[in-house]
Amino acid sequence: MAIKKVFVVGAGLMGGGITQISATAGYQVTMRDIAQEPLDKAMKEIERSLGKFASKGKITEEQAKQAIKNITTTTEMSAAADADLVVEAVFEKIELKQDVFKQLDEVCKPECILASNTSAISITSIASVTKHPENVVGTHFFSPVPMMQLCEVIRGLQTSDETVAAVLDFAKAIGKETVVVQKDVAGFIANRVGLAMSCVAIKLVEAGVATPEDIDKTMKLGFGHRMGPLETSDMTGIDILMNAMKAIYNETQDERYAPPEIMQRMVAAGLLGRKTGKGWYDYSTGEQVAYWKL
Ligand SMILES: NC(=O)c1ccc[n+]([C@@H]2O[C@H](COP(=O)([O-])OP(=O)(O)OC[C@H]3O[C@@H](n4cnc5c(N)ncnc54)[C@H](O)[C@@H]3O)[C@@H](O)[C@H]2O)c1
């Protein structure tokens, strides 16, 4: 099925980014949130970001204007009735996502593809509340969406080949590289691999083996990573990371994902990383400086 109309549910960080790149690629996009305020905020951010792309010559002024024209905002779920593809990007709560998918199942065309941008929730469990689980798929974009190249496409237990093929085409059309996660496992590929490494790195700091700087330096200079695992966890947020580890651990009982105790203490102390000014590093001066002593 050719995708022409896209409906994005959730106008936060991810929903706004997905709306922006879809509209820039020429799709008609309707972005839905529960109130006008987040929609207005998202539109402001999209305009700012498109302006930046235009000033760098990555798109023309005309393309930036057209992208804005391609976006409509709404607080009504019923506006999804003529969508060919819905991308859901609401808060990471299974009850909320299932509620959204139940509503979409009522209002959307039977052939409409329903995609979730979930980082960790099983696509199969989201699909289970719909009448067409074969049309439900994961599209895991990365933040910031306009900059990050990857989209993980996740196959739920009943997702059809046609649905996977259609979202792969869509992701390509909006300028993303894709990987297919053939089985609906907790953490998909990116978090399954990335969080295991973060967990080991944090356990090494906890055990007094090396400082965060030396672990990050090792991975950057020894393995060519752009950022070290501790820097990355400060950027993600220690609380977000810990919850993501717990989600994989709860499903798999795999000790490699058991969050180290030190993370619980950091969360209790408000050392959440960049967003609170301190985590594995201190950002209070605006620079990233060493903070942990062994
Ligand atoms: N932030 C990231 O780095 C990142 C990366 C990859 C995936 N994700 C996933 O993307 C999803 C969204 O994350 P985010 O960071 O954009 O969240 P966010 O908190 O920035 O935005 C969520 C938005 O959803 C809206 N919302 C809540 N209930 C709604 C409903 N019923 N209908 C419509 N809108 C509703 C909220 O008002 C809010 O604007 C989550 O599942 C998250 O795990 C996030």
Side-chain angles (χ1 to χ4, degrees):
M1 184 194 47
I3 293 170
K4 291 200 178 89
K5 292 196 172 175
V6 179
F7 191 82
V8 175
V9 190
L13 183 68
M14 301 304 288
I18 296 163
T19 298
Q20 178 181 326
I21 56 170
S22 306
T24 306
Y27 290 96
Q28 293 299 314
V29 190
T30 303
M31 178 167 57
R32 191 257 167 165
D33 209 297
I34 43 178
Q36 196 55 44
E37 197 199 327
L39 290 166
D40 293 343
K41 196 171 151 214
M43 286 309 296
K44 243 187 185 167
E45 173 53 25
I46 290 172
E47 279 172 36
R48 189 202 62 79
S49 174
L50 286 170
K52 215 165 155 192
F53 276 107
S55 70
K56 285 188 177 165
K58 296 204 167 145
I59 55 172
T60 63
E61 293 285 346
E62 205 39 57
Q63 283 170 319
K65 276 191 199 143
Q66 187 56 49
I68 296 292
K69 279 191 200 152
N70 290 345
I71 304 172
T72 311
T73 63
T74 182
T75 54
E76 302 297 326
M77 200 66 112
S78 56
D82 63 351
D84 303 308
L85 167 70
V86 176
V87 185
E88 168 277 314
V90 302
F91 302 130
E92 187 76 353
K93 287 208 176 95
I94 184 159
E95 301 79 16
L96 175 62
K97 289 197 191 279
Q98 285 185 330
D99 181 50
V100 166
F101 275 72
K102 251 186 225 163
Q103 292 180 50
L104 290 168
D105 196 44
E106 293 297 318
V107 298
C108 291
K109 300 184 285 194
E111 67 273 25
C112 178
I113 293 173
L114 305 180
S116 174
N117 189 53
T118 179
S119 322
I121 297 171
S122 138
I123 301 304
T124 309
S125 62
I126 295 174
S128 70
V129 300
T130 70
K131 289 190 284 296
H132 295 285
E134 69 278 10
N135 295 349
V136 180
V137 64
T139 48
H140 184 209
F141 291 90
F142 291 73
S143 173
V145 180
M147 305 298 296
M148 298 295 282
Q149 273 190 299
L150 185 64
C151 174
E152 277 186 297
V153 173
I154 305 111
R155 194 187 268 282
L157 205 56
Q158 293 165 286
T159 310
S160 70
D161 290 346
E162 292 72 23
T163 298
V164 171
V167 291
L168 286 174
D169 284 348
F170 170 74
K172 196 171 160 205
I174 61 174
K176 295 301 170 203
E177 290 286 337
T178 51
V179 291
V180 180
V181 186
Q182 299 286 3
K183 288 189 179 170
D184 184 15
V185 296
F188 313 138
I189 300 172
N191 283 336
R192 196 78 172 222
V193 175
L195 293 186
M197 187 177 65
S198 303
C199 212
V200 172
I202 292 169
K203 282 174 184 161
L204 289 180
V205 179
E206 192 176 42
V209 173
T211 59
E213 304 88 87
D214 279 351
I215 292 171
D216 284 340
K217 194 171 172 184
T218 304
M219 299 313 293
K220 287 190 284 190
L221 302 187
F223 289 90
H225 289 194
R226 214 148 41 133
M227 283 178 84
L230 286 315
E231 289 171 305
T232 308
S233 68
D234 269 355
M235 199 172 71
T236 307
I238 308 298
D239 52 339
I240 304 277
L241 194 74
M242 187 178 74
N243 288 337
M245 284 176 186
K246 274 186 189 164
I248 300 182
Y249 178 67
N250 288 343
E251 270 211 42
T252 61
Q253 304 298 306
D254 184 336
E255 287 295 328
R256 283 176 299 186
Y257 300 94
E261 256 182 296
I262 186 78
M263 294 182 88
Q264 313 266 10
R265 302 294 171 267
M266 288 174 77
V267 171
L271 299 172
L272 304 184
R274 283 184 181 268
K275 62 187 172 187
T276 57
K278 278 183 190 151
W280 299 112
Y281 295 88
D282 184 346
Y283 304 89
S284 52
T285 59
E287 301 284 310
Q288 176 180 303
V289 295
Y291 176 57
W292 283 67
K293 293 190 182 60
L294 297 180

